Amino acid sequence: GPVPTLLLTTTGRKSGKSITLPLIYGKSGKDYVVIASKGGAPAHPAWYLNLCTNPEVSIQVEAKRMLATARTATGAERTALWEQLVEIYPPYTEYQQRTSREIPVVILETK
């Protein structure tokens, strides 16, 4: 079935240009949560590396546009959010099995 999707705009860490892409999301209070899976590839997706360099991002959910600060969840928070996102999109479990890296769970803290 349909999955909730937002548009994330990051700033390229090398180019300095705005880059927008669609991502599946979940919610944590007023904030949004996305997974940096890259389909279980061995390296993190470029958008994740971009927000590690510059965590100030913009997001769009339906017609609503917001500014947010990205941070990577850790520990129990990561575990709980990972489980929530796996319920929304079960293939994340397979993606994690394909790679030795821990797939990042990213919280987009809205302003």
Side-chain angles (χ1 to χ4, degrees):
V3 293
T5 306
L6 59 74
L7 294 176
L8 172 70
T9 302
T10 64
T11 302
R13 67 194 180 286
K14 296 177 184 174
S15 69
K17 295 180 181 178
S18 292
I19 302 163
T20 302
L21 66 151
L23 294 171
I24 295 168
Y25 74 88
K27 291 280 299 206
S28 178
K30 67 179 182 60
D31 300 325
Y32 294 84
V33 181
V34 294
I35 303 288
S37 67
K38 198 176 179 183
H44 294 310
W47 65 263
Y48 177 73
L49 300 175
N50 289 342
L51 61 79
C52 287
T53 300
N54 183 358
E56 300 306 313
V57 300
S58 64
I59 57 176
Q60 181 175 338
V61 180
E62 297 176 1
K64 186 177 181 182
R65 295 178 186 207
M66 298 157 273
L67 296 177
T69 302
R71 69 176 177 85
T72 303
T74 59
E77 179 183 44
R78 182 203 179 276
T79 300
L81 293 173
W82 174 266
E83 291 172 4
Q84 176 188 332
L85 270 288
V86 165
E87 285 183 27
I88 294 169
Y89 191 69
Y92 285 139
T93 301
E94 294 172 33
Y95 297 169
Q96 183 60 78
Q97 293 168 352
R98 289 183 198 162
T99 185
S100 59
R101 70 182 172 94
E102 181 177 77
I103 293 176
V105 175
V106 179
I107 301 166
L108 304 170
E109 299 177 332
T110 58
K111 298 181 178 188

